[in-house]
Amino acid sequence: MTVQNQVQLITYPDSLGGDLKTLNRVLSTYFPDIFQGGIHILPPFPSSGDRGFAPLTYLEIDPNFGTWDDVKAIGEKSDVLVDLMVNHISRQSEYFQDFLQKGRKSEYADYFITLDKIWRDGEPVQADIEKMFLRRPLPYSTFTIEETGREEKVWTTFGKTDPSEQIDLDINSPKVKQLFTDFFMHFKRHHVKIVRLDAVGYVIKKLGSSCFFVEPEIYEFLDWIKELADSLDIELLPEVHAHYSIQYKLAEHGYWIYDFILPYRILEALIDKSGESLKQYLKTRPHKQFTMLDCHDGIPVKPDLDDLLDTREARKLVDTCLERGANLSLILSDEHKAEDGFDVHQIRCSYYSVLNGDDDAYLAARALQFFTPGVPQVYYVGLLAGENDLENVKKTGEGREINRHNFTLGEIEQALEKAAVQRLLKLIRFRNEHEAFNGEFQVLDSAADEIRLSWQKDETRCTLFVDLKTNQSVIDYTDEHGAMKQYFV
């Protein structure tokens, strides 16, 4: 399986029209030639929380969204990418419910990490916990087993509730490896081509470590799951929010990685009117990456850009984003904040809104993304130049809902009339079709407030020029007859 070097869409199963059947119709009707790189369907599985990221199983699709046949139908026209939450499964899953009832006698007991697998006597040690990269105040939840009345403490990396909805899986257990094998085989049968390993950085729990991207054990797990995926002709995309050096290690191991640095660097260039940091970055980054500007979470800051940012400058940029309606996700553990206390994990916003609804700035951002080597992904809200959904944040109390608006068919049709959306669709077609993007990439010399990027394959070439003073973008390119043309983005 080779990943197509063309633009992909990221969407929830119900965000473009309400369900998977409608999504398929929307893609065929409004975007038939747009997402030739594939469709990333955010978790369509039955789930008990975190908008799909606390799945009960991968063998079924949530009936509110449709069935596996609907996914298969999309997969007949486009490469489908789905998530596998390798770190955890839902508290409501049949596996954990059986454990809650029978405790250690459950056939699924070994799926989970009871604390005696970490500390011999099963008693957590605060000094060990303080070294960990925490996503909640304590990395475990306490449950009472129905049959015995005995308390069991079970590892839970994530979750906003106590006890958590997301129960960690023990990836050292042969039973969990068999479970993953069953899931992958099911994906294969239903035309899934790419699997994103969500939260894979958290799968290793080891005393004395941060319990995040623990080496070399993480590679042993990744090598095992890659061998499984390769045998089924499925491509893997590990999702790791971490210091950029960890991403680069994954790249050295031959994995696709996410470019979690690019969204911030492009935003910074457009807001600060200086392309120097972005140009420097583009000269040194690995090319085998998936690129994005926006997603269902937010624009990554810490730890993805640790040691790349001046935190004073970052604070100014963050303040500008807040003025434009954004909200923030923050780092919890003091040890993982910057020395001066800077603690921004992600900036949550619509990318269109954070650029002040300026069409030219937004198109410049997309042009820069599409000219950056890698497979470009466009999030559905960004596709429709959607704005901050402040009402939904207020209603749900969930900051990430700012960029998770569900569009009705009427709203999709309205959005398609926006100049920004039509310009973006034209740009996506250009990125999908121009042969030069399969060639050599170069960052060309330019003034501090300008960016020039070029691609060349044999006689075909295209060059992007972005004037950061005016946000104007122009592409010079060779047409099919070899003549030079100019395209004002």
Side-chain angles (χ1 to χ4, degrees), residues 312-458:
R312 287 163 309 182
E313 293 303 314
R315 273 183 204 281
K316 284 186 212 160
L317 188 80
V318 167
D319 286 345
T320 302
C321 296
L322 291 172
E323 282 162 24
R324 294 176 180 184
N327 67 62
L328 306 174
S329 157
L330 303 175
I331 297 279
L332 284 183
S333 40
D334 288 336
E335 196 185 325
H336 296 96
K337 295 174 184 176
E339 279 178 26
D340 64 357
F342 183 72
D343 60 355
V344 179
H345 175 50
Q346 291 175 340
I347 302 165
R348 301 189 293 212
C349 56
S350 124
Y351 215 89
Y352 184 70
S353 288
V354 86
L355 289 171
N356 247 356
D358 179 325
D359 288 7
D360 288 342
Y362 184 60
L363 269 296
R366 287 293 174 196
L368 289 165
Q369 180 199 359
F370 294 171
F371 267 73
T372 297
V375 175
Q377 292 187 317
V378 175
Y379 185 59
Y380 75 98
V381 178
L383 168 69
L384 299 174
E387 298 182 16
N388 289 337
D389 191 341
L390 301 174
E391 201 178 306
N392 222 17
V393 173
K394 208 189 235 173
K395 198 167 78 185
T396 60
E398 167 58 78
R400 292 178 297 183
E401 289 294 324
I402 195 165
N403 199 31
R404 295 180 175 184
H405 181 76
N406 283 347
F407 288 81
T408 63
L409 287 174
E411 286 173 323
I412 293 167
E413 285 173 358
Q414 265 179 311
L416 282 164
E417 290 172 16
K418 294 182 191 172
V421 174
Q422 286 303 319
R423 288 168 66 187
L424 177 56
L425 294 179
K426 183 181 175 186
L427 183 62
I428 291 173
R429 288 189 189 98
F430 181 84
R431 172 62 179 79
N432 283 341
E433 292 161 13
H434 204 282
E435 187 55 27
F437 290 107
N438 295 311
E440 294 296 313
F441 170 75
Q442 246 188 317
V443 179
L444 303 177
D445 290 341
S446 60
D449 54 8
E450 296 173 351
I451 300 171
R452 286 180 193 274
L453 308 176
S454 87
W455 282 90
Q456 180 156 1
K457 185 178 186 213
D458 304 326

Side-chain angles (χ1 to χ4, degrees), residues 4-100:
Q4 318 280 339
N5 179 23
Q6 290 171 313
V7 179
Q8 291 187 353
L9 172 70
I10 311 172
T11 181
Y12 283 101
D14 56 339
S15 287
L16 292 173
D19 58 25
L20 289 163
K21 263 193 181 55
T22 316
L23 171 62
N24 195 6
R25 206 163 65 242
V26 164
L27 292 170
S28 306
T29 308
Y30 302 115
F31 310 107
D33 58 340
I34 296 298
F35 297 109
Q36 295 179 12
I39 313 294
H40 177 181
I41 304 172
L42 292 163
F45 317 109
S47 170
S48 60
D50 199 12
R51 193 154 179 186
F53 284 86
L56 278 69
T57 179
Y58 296 86
L59 303 177
E60 296 162 30
I61 298 296
D62 184 324
N64 294 314
F65 304 145
T67 66
W68 267 110
D69 284 343
D70 297 319
V71 175
K72 201 171 178 179
I74 294 170
E76 278 162 8
K77 290 177 283 189
S78 310
D79 289 353
V80 167
L81 188 163
V82 297
D83 296 87
L84 180 66
M85 276 51 86
V86 280
N87 182 69
H88 53 263
I89 202 146
S90 169
R91 163 158 74 123
Q92 310 304 327
S93 65
E94 63 168 309
Y95 320 112
F96 194 70
Q97 287 297 306
D98 194 75
F99 173 76
L100 276 185

Side-chain angles (χ1 to χ4, degrees), residues 212-257:
F212 179 79
F213 209 87
V214 179
E215 299 173 273
E217 289 88 342
I218 186 76
Y219 300 118
E220 289 162 21
F221 172 71
L222 282 168
D223 290 346
W224 172 80
I225 208 161
K226 186 173 189 308
E227 197 175 310
L228 168 62
D230 286 350
S231 73
L232 298 166
D233 204 24
I234 290 174
E235 194 70 63
L236 290 184
L237 173 57
E239 185 253 2
V240 180
H241 279 289
H243 190 279
Y244 69 93
S245 60
I246 285 180
Q247 293 276 25
Y248 290 6
K249 284 178 186 177
L250 277 172
E252 281 166 26
H253 276 74
Y255 288 95
W256 282 98
I257 58 172

